[in-house]
Amino acid sequence: MNHTAVAEAFQSTAQRSGPRLKTLPDFGGSPQAMLEHFTAHPGLICDLDLERQPGTYARNLLWSDAGTSVWAMVWDRGARTAIHDHHCACAFGLISGNLTEIRFRAFDGIRVAKTWEAMHQPGDIASLATTHPNIHQMVNDSDRVAISLHIYGYDPRVHASSVDREYLLAPA
Ligand SMILES: [Fe+2]
């Protein structure tokens, strides 16, 4: 699918529900291919009328069906998620700005220790599978807004979010 066709697949609704995809562009069912396309053409996401929330992050649902949902996340300066894992597969690509991702290992069902940290750049793509420990946290500790695109293996009509459980950082 070319750039123009993807752009035309977006449809702005009259309500504040924001921009939505009328159909999911055909990338052969590959989240990686879809993220590669959108990170290579960041204007497709950045130019949308995305919801933003001061001091935190805003989730913009762009498309969903029974097995997949696609979200654009707008991260204000200082925004951070809880430390969490997922009940479904997830993949994301950074569209603009910088986001720090921190990964953890669990001591038990509540406490975790940090194992890895990376500053994602525009164009970076990462994924987490439910078949492996997938506890992480996303933080915008930069001085500008960041936008990321996320593809999750869940139906938002069934689950409120992709998060399975939230954790607390164990004392060092
Ligand atoms: Fe996550």
Side-chain angles (χ1 to χ4, degrees):
M1 177 169 286
N2 64 33
H3 184 146
T4 302
V6 172
E8 290 175 349
F10 283 99
Q11 176 187 41
S12 290
T13 58
Q15 282 95 18
R16 176 56 262 188
S17 56
R20 298 288 291 267
L21 285 165
K22 287 186 290 189
T23 58
L24 188 65
D26 181 10
F27 293 101
S30 166
Q32 176 81 19
M34 183 172 173
L35 291 170
E36 286 176 358
H37 180 86
F38 282 104
T39 55
H41 302 96
L44 292 173
I45 303 299
C46 294
D47 293 345
L48 298 174
D49 182 23
L50 298 173
E51 181 183 359
R52 298 158 187 255
Q53 294 192 7
T56 185
Y57 61 91
R59 305 160 72 224
N60 293 263
L61 179 62
L62 299 184
W63 191 87
S64 67
D65 69 6
T68 304
S69 54
V70 179
W71 303 76
M73 307 282 198
V74 181
W75 307 80
D76 199 9
R77 291 176 296 176
R80 64 176 52 229
T81 68
I83 300 170
H84 64 276
D85 63 6
H86 295 273
H87 59 74
C88 60
C90 71
F92 62 90
L94 194 58
I95 302 297
S96 71
N98 294 102
L99 277 179
T100 299
E101 181 185 13
I102 309 163
R103 296 192 184 183
F104 304 86
R105 63 180 171 87
F107 292 118
D108 51 37
I110 298 174
R111 299 171 308 147
V112 296
K114 176 179 165 181
T115 57
W116 179 88
E117 178 175 330
M119 169 80 83
H120 290 300
Q121 312 290 331
D124 284 1
I125 294 170
S127 62
L128 295 168
T130 55
T131 51
H132 302 284
N134 65 1
I135 305 169
H136 75 159
Q137 179 180 37
M138 305 292 285
V139 180
N140 181 5
D141 53 12
S142 75
D143 60 0
R144 55 182 286 226
V145 171
I147 299 175
S148 55
L149 188 69
H150 299 245
I151 303 173
Y152 294 110
Y154 80 96
D155 181 345
R157 295 168 300 183
V158 177
H159 298 278
S161 81
S162 63
V163 172
D164 185 30
R165 184 182 298 183
E166 294 184 355
Y167 297 83
L168 296 173
L169 191 62

